[in-house]
Amino acid sequence: MQDNQQSRTGGVTRRRFLGTALATGTATFAAPAILRARNLNERLNIAIVGSGGRGGANLNGVNSENIVALCDVNENNLNAAAKKHPQAAKFTDFRKMYEDPNKFDAVVVSTCEHTHAFATLPALQLGKHVYCEKPLTYNIAEARKIREAAGHANVATQMGTQIHAGDNYRRVVELIQTGAIGDVSDVHVWVSRAWGRHDSLKAGQEAGDPYAIAERPLTTEEVPAGLNWDLWLGPAPKRDFHATYFPGPKWYRWWDFGNGTMSDLGSHWIDLPFWALNLDHPLTIEASGPQPHPEIAPASMQAVYEYGARGDLPPVQLSWYQGTYKPQMWHEEQIPRWSSGVLFVGNKGMLLSDYGKHVLLPEEQFTGFTPPEQSIPKSRGHYGEWIHACKTGEPTTCNFEYAGWLTEANHLGNVAFRTGKKLQWDAENMRATNAPDAERYIHRDYRKGWILT
């Protein structure tokens, strides 16, 4: 954890170096010998873990390459993908796929959140390039393990935060980092999606939650034809099948399988201030909202992070709002009332952004403002970046070093919410020093037969 110590004292961390290198195109890693000898036009051999839903979209994103293996616990998804890639070997258990690793160079992981680490870690340990859908892992301990394994593997990695490749985020980062609004002391990030547990089913329906449910079902249902429910559960505690958990995104609100909106949309929206302000680990985290439920993540909540100085960057407070929660300035109409947004507050002005647009505030203050020269090159596309990195050793923008810290921070918001305490975070030792009861949310006991080593 030497990087963390340096980030507080002004040293150049690996994350800071990568952030600079990505803008200048100077950082590389040593690609495996099998790829160093290849022509750039030669296609990668890619294994797909999870081929339905997001997996289907990710498969389409890399189908310019040679798809040699398909894995899915749902035979319906597996067979549909196999029709498009009939030459690919088929698996329902990714552990079996890894028994013959010489057949592929890279892996795309699009399973449910609770099995991401189990599908990703063996690929890294085998020296395979990995693209993993967000959030990178189910919990903080897994994020730490995956980030460190990726550092040892020295391969091309990318977390599936596709919006990161857009031009808008690049322009915002340039504005913040060139001081357009001065020193940033506060960031407010809000999303209006209200999926999770509500005060009542009626409240859930009024909030537009398509899968509103207040308690765990007491009944069981027949497992759909073609679905291997035991493999779908994987390391999670055993429970009987019910349609309220499957298919996605129904599962994401259940603590056993996911972490709700905080880790899901946080991967996209907190990504922007994380990038622009060179964040890694917070010093404290405090959350508020409804009474925590033992099984279901909240539809609405708020989390506040305190970050220390990072080199010449001052301390900053980052506030997250989801569902019905919004910043006070939003309620008072001091800023445009966008349904979702990121508001940077500096000592010379403010900047408001969403996925596709941004504005400097107050607008009259920035009349005639000349944006800085573009310094962050246009992306090849989120999938294109990763494929190019696999072949050349050039960096990706959401590599697991960066994505690991982002994932840890997002999970910490949920840990603070579930413990009901303001956490004092010791990043080096990966523990909340004032809340030993947080440990059960940082690590996890896995179901028999599932080991992460």
Side-chain angles (χ1 to χ4, degrees), residues 17-61:
F17 167 73
L18 284 173
T20 303
L22 291 172
T24 61
T26 58
T28 60
F29 60 82
I34 188 174
L35 295 178
R36 288 200 298 268
R38 285 186 167 179
N39 184 291
L40 283 179
N41 293 323
E42 188 172 351
R43 296 194 297 174
L44 291 169
N45 291 328
I46 297 180
I48 302 294
V49 182
S51 59
R54 283 302 312 156
N58 290 338
L59 175 55
N60 289 336

Side-chain angles (χ1 to χ4, degrees), residues 37 52 54 59 63 153 155 181 186 207 213 231-232 250 253 289 319 356 416:
R54 283 302 312 156
L59 175 55
N63 65 9
V155 295
I181 62 170
D186 291 276
I213 187 168
L231 283 178
W232 188 93
K250 295 179 180 180
R253 69 193 56 223
S319 299

Side-chain angles (χ1 to χ4, degrees), residues 310-421:
R310 288 123 17 249
D312 56 353
L313 298 176
V316 64
Q317 178 176 284
L318 187 153
S319 299
W320 164 265
Y321 315 77
Q322 70 182 57
T324 59
Y325 288 74
K326 297 289 189 298
Q328 190 64 30
M329 284 189 289
W330 187 96
H331 287 294
E332 295 175 354
E333 300 187 13
Q334 297 179 28
I335 57 174
R337 299 183 74 182
W338 295 0
S339 62
S340 298
V342 179
L343 179 70
F344 295 87
V345 180
N347 60 357
K348 296 180 180 179
M350 299 184 292
L351 186 154
L352 175 62
S353 179
D354 63 10
Y355 282 173
K357 62 183 182 298
H358 64 269
V359 60
L360 291 165
L361 300 171
E363 292 187 71
E364 61 272 16
Q365 177 179 313
F366 290 93
T367 300
F369 175 81
T370 301
E373 183 177 348
Q374 294 183 10
S375 58
I376 304 176
K378 189 176 183 65
S379 174
R380 300 171 180 273
H382 208 58
Y383 302 105
E385 276 184 26
W386 178 66
I387 291 170
H388 186 74
C390 291
K391 296 179 180 181
T392 67
E394 290 188 13
T396 59
T397 55
C398 286
N399 56 75
F400 289 176
E401 173 69 17
Y402 173 87
W405 287 118
L406 174 59
T407 300
E408 282 194 29
N410 288 335
H411 285 322
L412 278 167
N414 275 329
V415 174
F417 171 77
R418 297 178 78 179
T419 59
K421 296 179 180 179

Side-chain angles (χ1 to χ4, degrees), residues 37-209:
R38 285 186 167 179
N39 184 291
L40 283 179
N41 293 323
E42 188 172 351
R43 296 194 297 174
L44 291 169
N45 291 328
I46 297 180
I48 302 294
V49 182
S51 59
R54 283 302 312 156
N58 290 338
L59 175 55
N60 289 336
V62 300
N63 65 9
S64 61
E65 306 305 300
N66 189 26
I67 308 303
V68 298
L70 296 165
C71 182
D72 202 297
V73 298
N74 187 338
E75 289 185 356
N76 300 310
N77 294 337
L78 186 62
N79 291 334
K83 287 182 179 179
K84 298 179 181 179
H85 302 278
Q87 77 287 353
K90 296 194 299 182
F91 300 87
T92 55
D93 187 338
F94 55 74
R95 295 172 296 183
K96 297 291 185 183
M97 186 189 79
Y98 285 123
E99 290 178 0
D100 193 6
N102 294 327
K103 299 291 181 62
F104 51 89
D105 311 309
V107 181
V108 175
V109 175
S110 308
T111 62
C112 300
E113 187 173 334
H114 65 289
T115 50
H116 277 182
F118 286 83
T120 297
L121 185 60
L124 294 172
Q125 292 170 336
L126 290 166
K128 308 299 180 183
H129 306 292
V130 187
Y131 181 106
C132 181
E133 193 45 58
K134 54 77 187 163
L136 186 61
T137 62
Y138 168 80
N139 63 20
I140 294 167
E142 291 176 358
R144 186 69 59 94
K145 186 179 290 287
I146 293 299
R147 182 176 62 80
E148 292 177 348
H152 292 305
N154 201 30
V155 295
T157 58
Q158 185 91 304
M159 183 171 77
T161 45
Q162 294 82 10
I163 196 66
H164 192 101
D167 287 340
N168 182 64
Y169 271 27
R170 282 161 164 69
R171 305 294 79 82
V172 170
V173 170
E174 289 164 353
L175 285 166
I176 296 300
Q177 294 187 348
T178 55
I181 62 170
D183 290 335
V184 175
S185 58
D186 291 276
V187 183
H188 301 272
V189 185
W190 67 95
V191 297
S192 291
R193 179 191 287 178
W195 292 2
R197 193 171 193 275
H198 304 264
D199 292 337
S200 67
L201 290 179
K202 181 180 179 182
Q205 293 162 355
E206 291 175 348
D209 188 339

